[in-house]
Amino acid sequence: MKAFILAAGLGTRLKPWTLEHPKALVPVGGIPMLQRVICRLREEGFDEITVNVHHFADQIKDFLARHDFGVTIGISDESAALLDTGGALLKAAPMLCRDERPFLVHNVDILSDAPMRAIMDEHVASGRDISLVTSPRESSRKLLFDADHNLRGWYNLSTGEYRPAGFTPAPQMEERAFSGIYIVEPRVIPTLAEYSRQVGSAKFPVMDYLLAASASGKNNIGEIGLDSLNLIDIGKPDTLRRADSLFGA
């Protein structure tokens, strides 16, 4: 199975660590986050992993060169320009889409007990183009799904903003928190490239694309809901301290 780890981010909320190191190598319980994610994916049966790099890219490349994780690891190099999550996916597509098998996308700052092999199996059985892993956890931003678990919108609880523009949720729609983990079929890459051309930029957030593609009906985008998902996003100092305490113990 194939996976793509998003590890290029600047990690601005984790300063001062990220003034001299990439966020991907921040230690949790003494082990770099990138190592934790790679090992978790390997344990779930993923043996082809692509990692994108930008901020202190050479440190990540050196780290990967010095460690044998027992899987094939490729680098999608964004040293010249950070492309955000959507642009990163498009740039890495030639590496990720050498065959027709779907691949899992995983943010490097996420620790969870998500059963990723089972998630992949459920996605394949669904026939969807993209499956987003969600849960009912607390979050300031929620995704909205209809009764058939199809993506319909996005909601910022802090500001009251809904997206896409003009979207109004129906009463039966369900709010769910996105986990930063999702499955993509290679057949969606042409629509991703089309979206990049439409917005006139190689740099764009993947959520903007997902909402646009769902609204237009160009792709079948749904959720895989995990009601008991345990997840920590270590991208902020307070959650990093909590994760470090849990894993250090």
Side-chain angles (χ1 to χ4, degrees):
M1 291 189 292
K2 301 179 295 182
F4 181 34
I5 301 176
L6 293 166
L10 302 177
T12 54
R13 294 178 297 177
L14 291 180
K15 292 179 180 178
W17 167 268
T18 49
L19 292 175
E20 297 182 358
H21 310 280
K23 176 175 65 173
L25 297 185
V26 66
V28 173
I31 298 174
M33 270 300 299
L34 181 58
Q35 180 174 339
R36 287 191 175 277
V37 175
I38 290 173
C39 291
R40 181 75 207 293
L41 288 167
R42 182 192 63 204
E43 291 167 2
E44 291 278 346
F46 291 83
D47 55 2
E48 298 178 33
I49 297 174
T50 300
V51 180
N52 76 327
V53 297
H54 171 79
H55 188 55
F56 291 107
D58 288 342
Q59 290 188 32
I60 297 179
K61 292 177 185 178
D62 180 64
F63 174 79
L64 293 173
R66 289 185 290 105
H67 293 78
D68 181 4
F69 293 107
V71 298
T72 300
I73 297 180
I75 298 291
S76 180
D77 197 334
E78 297 177 26
S79 297
L82 185 62
L83 297 175
D84 211 326
T85 50
L89 189 58
L90 187 57
K91 179 177 176 58
M95 302 177 69
L96 296 166
C97 303
R98 292 183 178 132
D99 56 37
E100 296 305 310
R101 293 179 296 152
F103 56 90
L104 180 143
V105 183
H106 196 298
N107 287 349
V108 77
D109 50 11
I110 295 297
L111 289 167
S112 82
D113 61 357
M116 287 179 278
R117 180 189 292 271
I119 288 166
M120 180 64 79
D121 290 343
E122 184 172 342
H123 164 80
V124 171
S126 75
R128 287 196 176 103
D129 295 322
I130 299 174
S131 294
L132 311 174
V133 178
T134 69
S135 74
R137 68 185 177 89
E138 293 296 319
S139 175
S140 62
R141 297 175 177 85
K142 294 289 183 77
L143 297 178
L144 292 114
F145 297 88
D146 63 22
D148 294 320
H149 304 284
N150 298 310
L151 178 65
R152 291 295 178 238
W154 175 95
Y155 176 41
N156 186 324
L157 279 69
S158 301
T159 65
E161 177 192 6
Y162 284 98
R163 292 167 52 198
F167 171 77
T168 301
Q172 69 271 22
M173 287 185 179
E174 184 178 31
E175 295 181 1
R176 304 278 288 187
F178 180 42
S179 67
I181 303 169
Y182 55 106
I183 309 289
V184 178
E185 291 287 343
R187 60 179 176 264
V188 310
I189 297 303
T191 61
L192 189 69
E194 180 185 355
Y195 179 82
S196 177
R197 291 191 294 270
Q198 287 175 348
V199 299
S201 177
K203 178 179 181 179
F204 58 94
V206 74
M207 189 55 65
D208 289 358
Y209 160 74
L210 293 171
L211 292 169
S214 180
S216 68
K218 290 183 178 179
N219 293 119
N220 183 348
I221 302 172
E223 69 165 337
I224 294 176
L226 302 176
D227 290 339
S228 60
L229 178 67
N230 294 305
L231 182 148
I232 302 177
D233 177 348
I234 62 92
K236 298 181 290 185
D238 58 335
T239 53
L240 175 59
R241 285 191 294 269
R242 182 158 63 93
D244 195 51
S245 175
L246 287 170
F247 284 85

